[in-house]
Amino acid sequence: MSISEKHAKWREGAYKKTIEKFPERKKEFKSSWGDTVEPVYVPGDTCPNYDKLGFPGEFPFTRGVQPTMYRGKFWTMRQYAGFGTAEESNKRYKYLLEQGQTGLSVAFDLPTQIGFDSDHAMSDGEVGKVGVAIDSLRDMETLFDGIPLGKVSTSMTINATASVLLSMYIAVAEKQGFKPDELDGTIQNDILKEYIARGTYRFPPKPSMRIITDIFDFCSKSVPKWNTISISGYHIREAGSNAVQEVAFTLADGLAYVDAAIKTGLPVDTFAPRLSFFFNAHNDLLEEVAKFRAARRLWAKLMKERFNAGPKSQMLRFHTQTAGCTLTAQQPDNNIVRVAIQTLAAVLGGTQSLHTNSRDEALALPTEESVRIALRTQQIVAYESGVADTVDPLAGSYYVESMTDRIEEKAAAYIKRIDELGGMVAAIEKGYPQQEIQDAAYRYQKEIESTERIVVGTNKFQIKEQPPKNLLKVDRSIQVAQIKKIHAIKSERDNDLVKRRLAEVKKAAGGSDNLMPKILDAVKAYATLGEIVGEMVGVYGEHKESVVL
């Protein structure tokens, strides 16, 4: 069958069926001079690489996971937000929704991410600083007050304590009158990249993997629309990896989760369709587009070949965040341009949702004005640039296709090496991905310091600047307020019930029962995050990083 015949078959098949189910944004897409913009462009019949490309929505998904992509619906526009108290963050979420944001993305403070209550000694000075402080169900109720959780998609950047925060979210939704099977969203829940690059782990790897597979199992039955993990290359790239390493280590993490879940007895197609990924959008526009395309194609092949997974399980669906590590404190308005380039890379690469960083994030938490500009950047690309009017518009570019092939090939070689080391968990224990990232980060920084790599406004084109003004700062009074809330909760709740529920969490942690129902019961009794995690630490212990020299 010739490419033109395949094109016609796709147009009348998958594409037409998708339009019937999800109508396009417009009746007709046109260029500025009036010509029709086709849904997808294909090379001539003699193109040798066509089988690598396929059509959008078809294996190997190089050109996207949906036949219509943005012609039917734009990506979900999220802004990562959360700071101080639940009350303050709730106001920011409502502001962003009023400005046209289409999904929430919650940032939690470091104590919440690691599982310490705000009154713990380890929390001192960190409460509410890099995200919102959540100690109990009461805080979560406040965080989403007036926001109907059954009608909004919520992404939560939480890993070691994802089981507890998801339970709190479910409990709040139920209080609002929504059933768990109505909820739509994502928990990051990717603990392996914490050991590799980020550091907000609490438990050792083995029990952490058990908790994750418990979440897979629970959600497949009770919260079927929820994305149970967002396998994150974002933080791997922020730690200094290059594009190939970001793809390779992220997909290797994904393979480890799939393998662990299958070993517990879960059929691959019961949980894999709800896996999602989280990538970084860096400055090199065309390389980044190729990176996203290569990741999609390689994941499809790996899932098909290794696990005999079905088409939905082969689809690599991903969220993107623009690169925080590229933002500069010098001339911060330049960051608006960087974020615009990175936004284009994500959209041209076929992302399913996107968060754009704000211009002042190298200095402080973003102001409302900065957040609005960041959101407007997405909206301008969506509504004014035209890049969303056809699917995979850079397909067929000699450079982009060559780069896609090269990234796929080099990432596959990394995954082969990780397999030889015994898989990703064993590779992490040996320090392999950590060392590779450190070496790449060192090379990148040397290039900047030698001016081989130019960062505008930092190592070239500098100007004399005044100290920044009107930065958003979190006051220490936030910690005092959170501690008062904890004391109030403990005096108001049924503490005998809390003790019984915590004992059930501990028993499940030491046994084989799924932890999620027990954690959900404890949350509903207003046990605090720190209390629930403390019971699990009592069984599992705490992870201590070993330095490999």
Side-chain angles (χ1 to χ4, degrees):
M1 187 183 293
S2 69
I3 290 174
S4 59
E5 289 171 331
K6 289 181 179 179
H7 186 191
K9 182 180 178 181
W10 173 84
R11 186 78 179 258
E12 291 301 312
Y15 186 76
K16 188 175 180 180
K17 287 180 182 178
T18 305
I19 290 175
E20 290 171 354
K21 191 174 181 181
F22 303 106
E24 289 187 321
R25 289 184 288 114
K26 301 177 183 180
K27 289 184 178 179
E28 190 174 14
F29 293 80
K30 288 184 175 292
S31 68
S32 61
W33 60 90
D35 281 358
T36 297
V37 176
E38 297 295 336
V40 67
Y41 287 83
V42 299
D45 288 350
T46 58
C47 176
N49 292 323
Y50 186 72
D51 287 338
K52 289 185 178 180
L53 297 180
F55 280 96
E58 296 181 0
F59 183 85
F61 306 103
T62 312
R63 305 199 66 182
V65 295
Q66 297 136 349
T68 53
M69 289 302 289
Y70 311 132
R71 284 173 69 98
K73 181 183 177 183
F74 289 127
W75 59 94
T76 302
M77 299 181 193
R78 303 185 190 275
Q79 288 303 117
Y80 187 48
F83 60 94
T85 64
E87 290 86 351
E88 289 177 293
S89 294
N90 176 263
K91 291 177 183 176
R92 177 61 64 87
Y93 297 154
K94 288 177 177 175
Y95 171 79
L96 287 167
L97 290 170
E98 289 168 0
Q99 296 301 313
Q101 177 174 290
T102 55
L104 298 176
S105 185
V106 183
F108 298 100
D109 71 359
L110 287 175
T112 303
Q113 292 183 47
I114 302 175
F116 293 115
D117 286 337
S118 295
D119 61 352
H120 194 283
M122 289 293 289
S123 303
D124 190 37
E126 292 293 340
V127 176
K129 286 290 179 70
V130 298
V132 62
I134 300 293
D135 293 306
S136 73
L137 179 59
R138 182 70 52 81
D139 288 324
M140 197 67 111
E141 291 167 350
T142 303
L143 186 67
F144 294 111
D145 180 53
I147 301 172
L149 298 188
K151 298 180 180 180
V152 66
S153 171
T154 302
S155 171
M156 295 189 283
T157 300
I158 196 76
N159 300 283
T161 56
S163 57
V164 184
L165 272 294
L166 176 58
S167 296
M168 289 183 180
Y169 190 88
I170 293 169
V172 172
E174 288 179 343
K175 287 193 167 214
Q176 292 182 351
F178 297 105
K179 297 177 181 178
D181 61 8
E182 296 179 87
L183 303 182
D184 183 11
T186 305
I187 42 172
Q188 193 166 103
N189 201 26
D190 176 6
I191 201 64
L192 292 180
K193 65 93 176 47
E194 298 295 330
Y195 304 124
I196 296 171
R198 192 163 177 264
T200 62
Y201 44 70
R202 189 69 184 277
F203 315 115
K206 188 174 180 180
S208 291
M209 295 293 281
R210 178 261 171 105
I211 296 167
I212 288 170
T213 55
D214 276 1
I215 292 171
F216 287 177
D217 185 31
F218 175 80
C219 287
S220 68
K221 298 169 183 173
S222 302
V223 201
K225 294 197 294 182
W226 198 267
N227 297 316
T228 49
I229 193 167
S230 177
I231 304 160
S232 177
Y234 182 84
H235 305 95
I236 290 171
R237 192 65 179 275
E238 291 288 291
S241 80
N242 57 43
V244 168
Q245 291 168 337
E246 181 186 354
V247 171
F249 298 155
T250 304
L251 299 195
D253 283 348
L255 294 172
Y257 294 126
V258 172
D259 189 56
I262 289 173
K263 285 179 179 176
T264 68
L266 289 174
V268 64
D269 291 326
T270 64
F271 67 89
R274 302 313 304 172
L275 302 180
S276 67
F277 289 79
F278 175 24
F279 287 114
N280 197 303
H282 224 265
N283 278 337
D284 191 324
L285 176 66
L286 299 179
E287 180 179 285
E288 291 298 287
V289 173
K291 178 188 76 178
F292 298 131
R293 299 170 88 249
R296 230 179 353 251
R297 187 160 73 203
L298 182 54
W299 180 252
K301 291 178 180 178
L302 289 166
M303 290 298 286
K304 185 176 183 179
E305 293 168 4
R306 294 196 181 198
F307 305 109
N308 195 30
K312 290 186 177 179
S313 298
Q314 297 165 10
M315 294 180 186
L316 185 147
R317 297 169 299 109
F318 66 97
H319 169 72
T320 310
Q321 181 174 341
T322 57
C325 60
T326 66
L327 302 179
T328 62
Q330 301 87 351
Q331 302 177 41
D333 282 352
N334 293 344
N335 294 327
I336 297 172
V337 182
R338 294 186 177 100
V339 169
I341 292 170
Q342 294 161 10
T343 299
L344 273 173
V347 172
L348 290 167
T351 193
Q352 276 60 68
S353 71
L354 177 62
H355 159 66
T356 35
N357 290 327
S358 300
R359 60 182 172 179
D360 47 4
E361 288 190 56
L363 296 163
L365 291 168
T367 63
E368 276 195 358
E369 180 185 18
S370 295
V371 168
R372 186 174 63 250
I373 292 170
L375 178 58
R376 293 289 183 258
T377 301
Q378 292 198 51
Q379 292 164 338
I380 289 169
V381 169
Y383 291 98
E384 299 185 27
S385 73
V387 298
D389 290 354
T390 189
V391 184
D392 193 24
L394 293 183
S397 157
Y398 294 127
Y399 180 74
V400 170
E401 295 299 354
S402 173
M403 185 68 71
T404 301
D405 290 348
R406 287 161 59 195
I407 291 174
E408 181 187 8
E409 179 184 350
K410 290 179 179 295
Y414 261 121
I415 291 172
K416 182 180 178 182
R417 174 59 179 150
I418 290 165
D419 288 340
E420 291 168 351
L421 292 171
M424 197 50 157
V425 174
I428 290 168
E429 291 172 345
K430 294 178 173 71
Y432 173 69
Q434 298 95 309
Q435 187 63 60
E436 289 292 304
I437 294 169
Q438 288 167 15
D439 291 346
Y442 179 66
R443 288 191 296 271
Y444 188 90
Q445 189 59 35
K446 280 181 66 178
E447 290 172 4
I448 292 174
E449 292 180 5
S450 67
T451 67
E452 180 182 347
R453 181 182 295 273
I454 300 299
V455 180
V456 174
T458 298
N459 63 356
K460 197 170 185 179
F461 311 114
Q462 300 100 323
I463 60 172
K464 188 174 182 180
E465 299 180 78
Q466 295 296 319
K469 298 177 181 179
N470 303 318
L471 298 178
L472 180 59
K473 294 183 179 180
V474 176
D475 191 82
R476 190 175 176 83
S477 62
I478 296 295
Q479 181 170 339
V480 176
Q482 281 300 117
I483 291 172
K484 287 181 179 178
K485 288 180 186 178
I486 292 173
H487 293 166
I489 281 289
K490 290 183 177 180
S491 67
E492 296 167 8
R493 69 189 185 182
D494 183 340
N495 283 297
D496 289 335
L497 176 62
V498 170
K499 287 180 182 178
R500 293 197 300 272
R501 295 286 169 82
L502 289 174
E504 290 169 2
V505 170
K506 185 173 184 177
K507 182 180 178 181
S512 57
D513 289 347
N514 193 304
L515 269 163
M516 282 299 293
K518 305 303 181 185
I519 293 172
L520 184 56
D521 286 343
V523 160
K524 290 178 178 179
Y526 289 90
T528 68
L529 172 75
E531 288 173 330
I532 295 169
V533 171
E535 296 296 334
M536 296 161 76
V537 167
V539 176
Y540 300 140
E542 295 186 279
H543 178 68
K544 303 295 181 185
E545 185 177 14
S546 57
V547 179
V548 181
L549 300 176

